[in-house]
Amino acid sequence: MWLGPEEVLVANALWVTERANPFFVLQRRRGHGKGGGLTGLLVGTLDVVLDSSARVAPYRILHQTQDSQVYWTVACGSSRKEITKHWEWLENNLLQTLSIFDTEEDITTFVKGKIHGIIAEENKNLQPQGDEDPGKFKEAELKMRKQFGMPEGEKLVNYYSCSYWKGRVPRQGWLYLTVNHLCFYSFLLGKEVSLVVQWVDVTRLEKNATLLFPESIRVDTRDQELFFSMFLNISETFKLMEQLANLAMRQLLDSEGFLENKALPRPPRPHSNISALKRDLDARAKNECYCATFRLPGDERLDGHTGCTLWTPFNKLHIPGQMFISSNYICFASKEEDACHLIIPLREVTIVEKADSSSVLPSPLSISTKSKMTFLFANLKDRDFLVQRISDFLQKMPSKPPGNSRAGRKASIVDSAPEAMNIVTSVLLLYGSEEEAFWLLVALCERMLPDYYNTRVVGALVDQGIFEELTRDFLPQLSEKMQDLGVIPSISLSWFLTLFLSVMPFESAAVIVDCFFYEGIKVILQVALAILDANMEQLLGCSDEGEAMTVLGRYLDNVVNKQSVSPPIPHLHALLTSGDDPPEEVDIFNLLKVSYEKFSSLRAEDIEQMRFKQRLKVIQSLEDTAKRSVVRAIPGDIGFSIEELEDLYMVFKAKQLASQYWGSSRPAAVRRDPSLPYLEQYRIDTNQFQELFASLTPWACGSHTSVLAGRMFRLLDENKDSLINFKEFVTGISRMYHGDLTEKLKVLYKLHLPPALSPEEAESALEATHYFTENSSSEEALQQEEQEGAGNDVQEKRREEKGTSPPDYRHYLRMWAKEKEVQKETIKDLPKMNQEQFIELCKTLYNMFSEDPMEQDLYHAIATVASLLLRIGEVGRRFSAWSGRESRDSAPEEGEPPAPHPPQDVAQELQPPAAGDPQAKAGGDTHLGKAPQESQVVGEGGGGEGRGSPPQPLSDDETKDDMSMSSYSVVSTGSLQCEDLADDTVLVGGEAHSPVATTHTGGAVDTDWCISFEQILASILTESVLVNFFEKRVDIGLKIKDQRKVERQFSTSSDHEQSAVLG
C-alpha cells in the first residue's frame, strides 16, 4: 500500500536492500523470507513486542537522492507480489520524469506530491468524510485482517498491548477487539501464538487478580480458559470487552446485530488513536448508563452533559452535580451518590430563562414547569449554548403524543404477554386508568424487567442467578442448604415474575410494587434476601424441597399490611396448614425496613454488572439446551454419533451467524427468529451451504463442487423457501457418508434429475414424458383399486341392509394407517434419466475422481461403464422407435391391444451384464457384438468421420461397429476432459444412428434415449474399483476440524516463513 512520505534517518537498520535505482530502494525486513537465523528471530520478536504495525509491512520502498542521507518511505507491502507491483509502477511512470529535474529538492517535492495524490485518489470513496479513522489505526486493522483472515466486513474496534498467559509463561503480543471476535497474536523467539475467539462463544468474562495471574482479564469459552494481563489501562479494556460480549449475547437473544448509531453524539475533537467505531461504542455506553441511571426509555438519546449546581429548598443548599440533556428530558444527578436525582420531562417545561448572575449564584438558569415548580441551576459553564439547545428541543416536542406508535407498541407487548404479566397488569388496572396502566407496563417490560416476559424468560433466569450469587455472599450458611434442596429456582421465578403478587397477600404485595417502581429490581432482591434471613433456622432444618416451600409459603401468607382498611384474605398455605400455634404475623413495612437495614449495600451499578455476568451463563446454557434438543430431533438411523452431530451443529450455527456478521442482507440473517422452535432457529441459504458442502463432502469434485452443492441444496429444500435447517442438512451429509453403495448412487442419481438439476443446467429436460409413461401403469392400478373398493363398499352396504353383521371399522382404521405410513422409496420409484442428464452425471464422476490416488484406474473404469451405458441407452432408443413403427404399421382393430414382439437380439441387449462378466470389464464390445448389424439396418446414413483409431487390435465385428469404436476411443483416454466427454458422447447417441439426428449439430440431444437407475447400478457393480471408491469410509471428524481451521484461517499473503526462521 502507498504511504504518506515520512523521513527515515537510518535506512539499513534491520532491513536488507533487494533492488535499487537512482531514486528508489526496495528493502526486505530481516527475518522475513528465506534465511534469517538468530537475527530473524530477534527482529520478529521486536516487531511484535515494540511495534504494532511492523509485521504488516515486511517490505518497503524508500525514496532517496544521491547526495542526501535522508530517505522517505513511499510504500509498504505484506508480500513480494504486492511490493513488486508498486516498484514496477514507479519504474514505469516516474523514473524518466525524475531524470529531467535539475535539483534534488525538486525531485523529492515532486515524488511526495505524486504519492499524496495517489493516496487521496485511493481513499476517496472508502469512508464518508468526517468519519475517517486515523492512519495508524487503519494499519493495525489491515494487519488484523491479514493475520487472522478476516473479511472486509469485520471492523476493528480497538487494539491493546498485553500478555497472554500460556501455562505459567506470559507471551507478550497484541490483543485485537473486533465487533464479533477477540484475537491475539504473539511471536517471541520463533514461538508463535495466535487465538481467535467469537464473542458468542464466551461463557465467562471477569477482571480478577490472583497470585499466579496478576491483575488480569479472564475469558472462558466452553473448551478453554484464557488469561490476559499487563494492560496499560485494564479498566478501559475490560469495559470494552464487556460491551462487545453483551452485544453478542443480544444477537443470540433477539438476532439483532451491531449497527453504528449515527444519532449518538460525537466528540468535536476525536482522539487521534481512537477509531470511529470505538467512539460510537463509547457514546452508546454513555447513553445506556444515562438511561439506566434515570430509568428512561431505551430509545432516549443523550445530547450532552455539563457540571452545575442545583438549589434544593428543603435543605437550602447548592448541591454540585451533572446536568444531562436529551431529546425529551432534563436530568440532574448529584456527585454524592443518591443525594439528589431530578428528572424534568421537556413536555412539562413552560419557561427557560437566564437569571441575573451574582457572587452567590454565578450563571444561574431557571426552569419552570406546568405544575408551578421552578428549578434553579447555577455555575453553568456555557449557559447561552445550553439555553439554545433546550429551546431547540422544546420546538421539536410534539403537541400531542402520536397515536400510531402507541398502538404499535401496545400490540407488540400484548402479543408476547405470558400469564405472569396478566397478574401484574390486573393490579395496575386497579390503581390507574387503562392508559396509565399500559404505560406502566411498557416501563416494566422494556426498562425495569428487561427480557422477563418473552418466550424464554431470559431476564427472570438472569435475576435468579443474581439472587443465588447474593445468597452466597450475604447468607453463606443457608446458600449451600438451599442449593442441595433445589429451592431457589422454584421460588425465585414466581417471586420475580409476579413481583410477590402471587405469593403474598394483595395489600402487602402492592407496597412492594410501589417501592419497586421507585428503586427497581434492587427492592425485589432485598426483600427476597430478608425473607430467607427471617426463616434461616427453619430452612436449615428442612429435609426436602416440599418442607422448605411450606415454610416459606406460611411465612409469606402472614405478611400483612396493618395500615390497610380491608380485612386480610388468607392464602392457600394458611388454610391447609394445621397446628396448635398460629403463625406470627409480619408487618410488610417492618419487612421492608429490615431489608434496607441489612442489605442496603446493594447498588444499581453492581446489579447491572452481575446481570451481564449471569446473562452470559444463561444464554449459553439456553444455546446448549437448543443444541441438545436439535440433536435429539435427528432420527437415530442417520449414522452420525452424538458427538459428531453436536460438532456439525456448531459448524452449521457458526456459518449462519457469519451471515449476520458480514452479510446482513442475506435471507438467512433476516429471517432468523429466536421465537421459532429450536430446529428452525438456525437456517442457511444456498451460498452458505455451498461453503459447508465444499469443506465437508467426501466427494471432492474440484471446480464442479459448487455445481454439485447447488443441486444438493435444491434436493434438500423441500418447502422451496431457499433455506434449509440442520435436520435437512445432516440428512444430505449422512447419505454421502453412511449409506451403502446403492444409497450413495441413488443420491448421486437424484442430483442429476429435477428438481436438483435446474432447467438452466439441462435445457432439454424431458422428464414429463417419462413421468407420464411410468405413471400410466400406476394410474391404471389405482383405478382398478378404486373399482374394487367400490365393489367392497356395495357388498358392505348389502350386509348392513341385511343385518347379517355389524360394520367393520377396523377396515377403515387400516386404510387410514396405510395412508399415514411413510412409503420408503425404492430404486424402482426413480424416474429414468435422459441423455443430457446422463452426460451431466458423467461430468460429475469425472471431476469426482480427479483427486483420488486411484485416479487412472477410476478413469478407465468409468470410461468402460459410460461406454456400456451409452450402448444400452442406444439400444433402448432403437427398440422404442421400432415398437412405434410396428404399432403404426400393424394398425390393430379397435379394442384389440397391440402385442409387439421385438427381435430376440434387441431384447438380449437390454439386459445389463452380469457382475462377474469379464467381457463387460473389457469395454462391453464383445457383449454387444450384434449391435453392428442392427445399426446398419436402423440408421444407414451414419458416418464414422472424426473417429480416432482403436487403441488395440479389433475383431471383424468390432471394426464394423463405428459406434463401439468411437465410444471406446472417446471415453478411455487418460487425458480426456469433461467437455470432450459431453460433446463426443452426444455424437454417439444422436448422430450415427438416427436419420433425424443427422440434421442436428454436435450438441444435439436424443429425446428418445433413456436409462434407468438399475442399469447404472448393475453397470457400476461390474467395476470393483468403482465399488471400492463408493464404499470406502471417510472420517467426518477430520473434515470438521479442517472446517474450524478455515474459520480461523491465517492470512497467507505474507511470505513470512516460520520454518525458514526456525531453520
Side-chain angles (χ1 to χ4, degrees):
M1 59 180 295
W2 299 105
L3 299 176
E6 296 182 359
E7 288 189 11
V8 178
L9 297 179
V10 184
N12 294 322
L14 306 180
W15 293 85
V16 178
T17 300
E18 293 196 340
R19 295 188 186 183
N21 59 44
F23 304 105
F24 299 100
V25 177
L26 189 154
Q27 295 183 333
R28 173 178 54 85
R29 186 81 166 173
R30 292 183 185 272
H32 292 267
K34 296 181 180 180
L38 180 61
T39 305
L41 293 178
L42 293 175
V43 173
T45 302
L46 290 174
D47 287 348
V48 173
V49 175
L50 301 179
D51 184 4
S52 67
S53 61
R55 279 184 55 80
V56 180
Y59 297 93
R60 68 178 184 182
I61 298 176
L62 303 179
H63 166 61
Q64 65 170 357
T65 53
Q66 294 180 355
D67 298 331
S68 175
Q69 298 299 320
V70 179
Y71 292 79
W72 299 83
T73 58
V74 295
C76 69
S78 58
S79 64
R80 189 181 298 276
K81 180 179 178 182
E82 180 183 0
I83 203 68
T84 302
K85 181 180 178 181
H86 291 333
W87 178 264
E88 292 176 351
W89 188 91
L90 292 172
E91 285 188 333
N92 296 332
N93 295 276
L94 290 187
L95 280 186
Q96 293 183 353
T97 305
L98 296 178
S99 61
I100 64 176
F101 286 95
D102 296 332
T103 63
E104 294 179 355
E105 293 181 0
D106 294 341
I107 294 175
T108 302
T109 303
F110 179 81
V111 170
K112 291 166 66 176
K114 191 68 176 177
I115 298 301
H116 281 302
I118 295 174
I119 295 174
E121 185 68 24
E122 287 183 348
N123 297 337
K124 183 171 60 176
N125 299 322
L126 290 182
Q127 286 183 329
Q129 295 296 324
D131 228 10
E132 287 284 342
D133 287 330
K136 192 170 183 181
F137 188 88
K138 284 185 178 179
E139 256 182 66
E141 187 173 41
L142 176 64
K143 175 197 170 184
M144 180 272 299
R145 288 178 183 162
K146 289 181 176 292
Q147 184 65 51
F148 301 103
M150 297 292 178
E152 292 291 330
E154 184 68 359
K155 301 295 184 182
L156 178 64
V157 180
N158 212 347
Y159 60 100
Y160 303 93
S161 174
C162 68
S163 293
Y164 162 63
W165 290 82
K166 189 173 183 180
R168 297 189 177 183
V169 180
R171 302 294 179 89
Q172 184 66 27
W174 290 87
L175 181 70
Y176 299 89
L177 304 181
T178 72
V179 173
N180 303 297
H181 296 84
L182 178 151
C183 308
F184 176 82
Y185 182 81
S186 172
F187 178 79
L188 291 177
L189 299 178
K191 293 186 177 180
E192 188 177 45
V193 177
S194 181
L195 299 171
V196 178
V197 177
Q198 293 183 0
W199 290 118
V200 293
D201 293 334
V202 174
T203 59
R204 185 176 181 181
L205 186 63
E206 289 182 346
K207 183 175 66 172
N208 50 24
T210 61
L211 293 176
L212 181 60
F213 302 112
E215 192 176 25
S216 61
I217 297 175
R218 176 177 178 175
V219 182
D220 288 3
T221 62
R222 289 179 176 86
D223 52 3
Q224 58 182 340
E225 297 178 358
L226 309 175
F227 291 89
F228 302 94
S229 64
M230 300 183 187
F231 292 92
L232 294 178
N233 191 341
I234 191 170
S235 298
E236 176 195 341
T237 308
F238 183 71
K239 285 182 180 178
L240 181 58
M241 294 170 74
E242 268 189 333
Q243 197 173 6
L244 293 171
N246 204 16
L247 287 171
M249 293 305 105
R250 267 293 179 214
Q251 188 179 22
L252 288 178
L253 185 60
D254 51 20
S255 73
E256 290 182 2
F258 173 76
L259 295 174
E260 292 187 49
N261 197 332
K262 304 301 182 183
L264 294 176
R266 299 296 178 87
R269 295 180 181 178
H271 196 274
S272 59
N273 291 329
I274 296 180
S275 67
L277 195 57
K278 176 66 166 57
R279 294 195 298 269
D280 186 86
L281 283 171
D282 289 343
R284 180 187 291 242
K286 289 181 180 179
N287 192 81
E288 290 176 353
C289 181
Y290 165 68
C291 293
T293 302
F294 299 101
R295 300 191 187 92
L296 302 177
D299 55 358
E300 190 67 18
R301 294 291 173 259
L302 176 64
D303 186 69
H305 60 90
T306 183
C308 66
T309 60
L310 173 65
W311 170 258
T312 53
F314 57 88
N315 57 2
K316 298 182 180 180
L317 290 176
H318 292 279
I319 299 180
Q322 291 276 332
M323 175 191 284
F324 301 86
I325 300 177
S326 60
S327 53
N328 296 293
Y329 297 92
I330 299 175
C331 302
F332 175 85
S334 59
K335 287 185 178 179
E336 183 182 354
E337 187 178 2
D338 296 334
C340 179
H341 275 198
L342 173 66
I343 302 174
I344 308 174
L346 285 178
R347 64 177 178 272
E348 299 293 326
V349 174
T350 56
I351 300 175
V352 178
E353 58 182 356
K354 294 180 286 186
D356 296 334
S357 298
S358 65
S359 58
V360 180
L361 286 176
S363 302
L365 178 66
S366 167
I367 299 179
S368 301
T369 64
K370 297 177 181 178
S371 58
K372 309 299 182 184
M373 296 181 65
T374 301
F375 302 94
L376 187 62
F377 298 90
N379 293 289
L380 293 165
K381 294 180 180 179
D382 196 348
R383 186 175 58 170
D384 295 337
F385 177 76
L386 188 63
V387 171
Q388 182 62 40
R389 292 299 296 165
I390 296 176
S391 301
D392 294 342
F393 283 125
L394 287 173
Q395 292 176 2
K396 296 178 182 178
M397 287 294 296
S399 58
K400 187 178 181 180
N404 292 336
S405 61
R406 186 178 306 174
R409 192 178 240 158
K410 193 172 188 176
S412 64
I413 290 180
V414 170
D415 287 345
S416 62
E419 293 182 5
M421 188 193 292
N422 297 337
I423 300 174
V424 179
T425 306
S426 61
V427 175
L428 296 178
L429 288 170
L430 290 176
Y431 286 91
S433 65
E434 183 180 349
E435 183 78 6
E436 292 170 342
F438 170 74
W439 287 114
L440 281 174
L441 195 62
V442 169
L444 186 77
C445 298
E446 295 184 354
R447 303 198 298 275
M448 308 191 74
L449 297 178
D451 304 320
Y452 258 62
Y453 303 110
N454 56 24
T455 54
R456 298 191 286 181
V457 293
V458 173
L461 294 174
V462 168
D463 286 347
Q464 174 185 303
I466 295 175
F467 183 48
E468 293 179 1
E469 186 175 348
L470 293 175
T471 305
R472 287 193 298 268
D473 295 340
F474 290 99
L475 305 172
Q477 297 178 353
L478 186 60
S479 174
E480 186 175 352
K481 182 68 174 180
M482 299 290 282
Q483 291 291 339
D484 294 339
L485 296 177
V487 176
I488 290 184
S490 302
I491 62 175
S492 56
L493 284 180
S494 60
W495 292 1
F496 296 159
L497 281 170
T498 64
L499 304 178
F500 290 99
L501 288 168
S502 64
V503 295
M504 193 180 288
F506 169 72
E507 297 81 2
S508 304
V511 178
I512 296 180
V513 174
D514 284 341
C515 297
F516 166 75
F517 276 111
Y518 178 70
E519 287 207 278
I521 192 63
K522 171 186 173 182
V523 175
I524 304 297
L525 294 171
Q526 287 180 178
V527 172
L529 290 171
I531 293 172
L532 293 183
D533 184 53
N535 295 274
M536 181 181 295
E537 294 183 3
Q538 292 177 288
L539 290 173
L540 289 174
C542 293
S543 58
D544 56 19
E545 180 184 358
E547 187 177 354
M549 294 292 290
T550 302
V551 169
L552 292 173
R554 291 184 61 188
Y555 178 85
L556 290 170
D557 287 341
N558 290 277
V559 176
V560 297
N561 183 359
K562 295 182 178 180
Q563 298 181 8
S564 176
V565 295
S566 59
I569 303 174
H571 273 214
L572 183 61
H573 288 285
L575 294 174
L576 296 180
T577 304
S578 61
D580 298 333
D581 299 328
E584 182 182 355
E585 290 185 348
V586 180
D587 187 10
I588 182 60
F589 294 101
N590 290 335
L591 178 62
L592 286 170
K593 182 181 178 181
V594 171
S595 70
Y596 273 94
E597 288 175 351
K598 289 190 175 182
F599 310 107
S600 60
S601 59
L602 285 177
R603 300 192 315 164
E605 295 80 3
D606 298 335
I607 293 176
E608 287 300 321
Q609 181 70 27
M610 287 188 286
R611 271 182 168 175
F612 163 74
K613 186 167 67 173
Q614 294 296 329
R615 190 179 292 116
L616 289 179
K617 294 180 181 179
V618 169
I619 294 181
Q620 295 296 358
S621 176
L622 291 174
E623 290 296 312
D624 291 340
T625 302
K627 177 176 69 175
R628 290 191 294 268
S629 300
V630 170
V631 170
R632 282 197 298 265
I634 305 300
D637 58 350
I638 204 69
F640 292 117
S641 64
I642 299 297
E643 292 77 12
E644 290 174 339
L645 286 174
E646 290 181 348
D647 291 340
L648 283 171
Y649 177 81
M650 296 306 295
V651 171
F652 185 87
K653 172 184 169 183
K655 184 61 65 176
Q656 198 276 342
L657 289 176
S659 69
Q660 296 184 352
Y661 295 163
W662 304 313
S664 57
S665 61
R666 288 184 175 184
V670 175
R671 300 184 190 183
R672 190 212 161 193
D673 185 1
S675 64
L676 291 174
Y678 289 135
L679 192 60
E680 298 296 328
Q681 287 186 13
Y682 293 105
R683 297 181 294 173
I684 58 175
D685 60 16
T686 178
N687 295 325
Q688 297 158 351
F689 179 80
Q690 287 180 3
E691 296 170 5
L692 285 179
F693 184 88
S695 58
L696 298 178
T697 179
W699 299 338
C701 297
S703 59
H704 198 66
T705 304
S706 59
V707 177
L708 202 64
R711 295 173 185 170
M712 177 67 81
F713 184 86
R714 289 190 290 271
L715 184 64
L716 298 176
D717 185 18
E718 296 180 358
N719 56 358
K720 307 303 177 186
D721 62 347
S722 300
L723 295 171
I724 62 171
N725 59 29
F726 180 69
K727 184 177 180 180
E728 295 168 334
F729 170 76
V730 171
T731 302
I733 297 294
S734 175
R735 292 173 183 173
M736 296 186 291
Y737 275 94
H738 298 291
D740 56 10
L741 173 65
T742 303
E743 290 297 322
K744 291 179 180 179
L745 289 178
K746 190 189 297 183
V747 173
L748 201 60
Y749 187 83
K750 287 182 178 179
L751 293 179
H752 298 82
L753 296 174
L757 192 70
S758 64
E760 293 78 10
E761 294 174 323
E763 298 176 358
S764 302
L766 301 175
E767 282 298 309
T769 305
H770 303 300
Y771 292 152
F772 292 139
T773 55
E774 288 188 358
N775 292 339
S776 59
S777 58
S778 60
E779 289 176 0
E780 293 173 0
L782 182 62
Q783 291 175 1
Q784 185 177 358
E785 290 179 1
E786 290 177 352
Q787 292 175 0
E788 293 177 357
N792 293 335
D793 293 341
V794 172
Q795 293 177 4
E796 194 70 30
K797 288 181 180 179
R798 290 176 180 175
R799 289 175 186 170
E800 293 177 4
E801 291 174 358
K802 294 180 180 180
T804 56
S805 62
D808 185 9
Y809 294 106
R810 290 176 297 177
H811 170 70
Y812 297 101
L813 290 175
R814 285 195 296 268
M815 290 179 59
W816 177 80
K818 198 170 185 179
E819 291 176 358
K820 292 295 182 183
E821 184 181 352
V822 178
Q823 297 293 331
K824 190 172 182 180
E825 186 182 45
T826 64
I827 59 177
K828 293 183 178 181
D829 298 329
L830 296 174
K832 292 186 178 181
M833 179 178 284
N834 63 27
Q835 191 178 51
E836 188 165 4
Q837 294 162 356
F838 176 72
I839 293 170
E840 291 292 332
L841 176 62
C842 291
K843 286 183 182 180
T844 300
L845 291 171
Y846 176 84
N847 286 278
M848 190 182 297
F849 304 147
S850 61
E851 300 177 7
D852 195 273
M854 303 288 292
E855 181 178 354
Q856 292 300 323
D857 295 338
L858 288 168
Y859 282 160
H860 285 293
I862 195 59
T864 303
V865 171
S867 174
L868 177 60
L869 290 171
L870 284 169
R871 292 169 186 165
I872 292 175
E874 179 65 22
V875 171
R877 182 192 66 80
R878 295 201 302 271
F879 173 74
S880 61
W882 180 86
S883 300
R885 282 201 306 272
E886 182 164 315
S887 61
R888 289 193 300 269
D889 295 340
S890 60
E893 297 179 2
E894 185 177 357
E896 180 183 351
H901 299 282
Q904 184 178 1
D905 296 339
V906 179
Q908 291 177 356
E909 290 183 18
L910 286 173
Q911 300 295 327
D917 190 358
Q919 294 178 347
K921 294 185 180 180
D925 296 334
T926 308
H927 181 75
L928 298 178
K930 298 186 180 182
Q933 290 82 358
E934 293 174 1
S935 64
Q936 297 292 334
V937 175
V938 175
E940 298 178 355
E945 297 177 4
R947 276 26 182 260
S949 59
Q952 58 185 8
L954 302 175
S955 63
D956 294 337
D957 292 337
E958 290 169 337
T959 54
K960 297 177 184 178
D961 188 357
D962 293 341
M963 180 194 70
S964 176
M965 185 191 306
S966 63
S967 300
Y968 184 84
S969 61
V970 168
V971 297
S972 64
T973 307
S975 59
L976 173 68
Q977 299 296 325
C978 59
E979 292 81 7
D980 301 333
L981 178 65
D983 296 339
D984 291 349
T985 49
V986 169
L987 289 173
V988 170
E991 181 181 340
H993 301 284
S994 174
V996 179
T998 54
T999 60
H1000 290 214
T1001 60
V1005 177
D1006 196 336
T1007 57
D1008 294 330
W1009 193 97
C1010 66
I1011 55 174
S1012 65
F1013 175 75
E1014 295 97 318
Q1015 294 168 332
I1016 294 179
L1017 176 61
S1019 302
I1020 288 181
L1021 287 174
T1022 63
E1023 297 291 339
S1024 60
V1025 64
L1026 292 177
V1027 175
N1028 295 335
F1029 175 83
F1030 284 104
E1031 288 186 344
K1032 67 180 178 182
R1033 293 288 182 179
V1034 181
D1035 186 8
I1036 196 173
L1038 299 176
K1039 298 275 188 180
I1040 295 174
K1041 289 181 180 178
D1042 293 340
Q1043 167 64 16
R1044 289 180 172 176
K1045 288 180 182 178
V1046 169
E1047 293 173 357
R1048 290 162 173 76
Q1049 63 181 338
F1050 292 94
S1051 174
T1052 56
S1053 58
S1054 174
D1055 54 356
H1056 176 78
E1057 301 176 6
Q1058 298 294 332
S1059 59
V1061 173
L1062 293 174

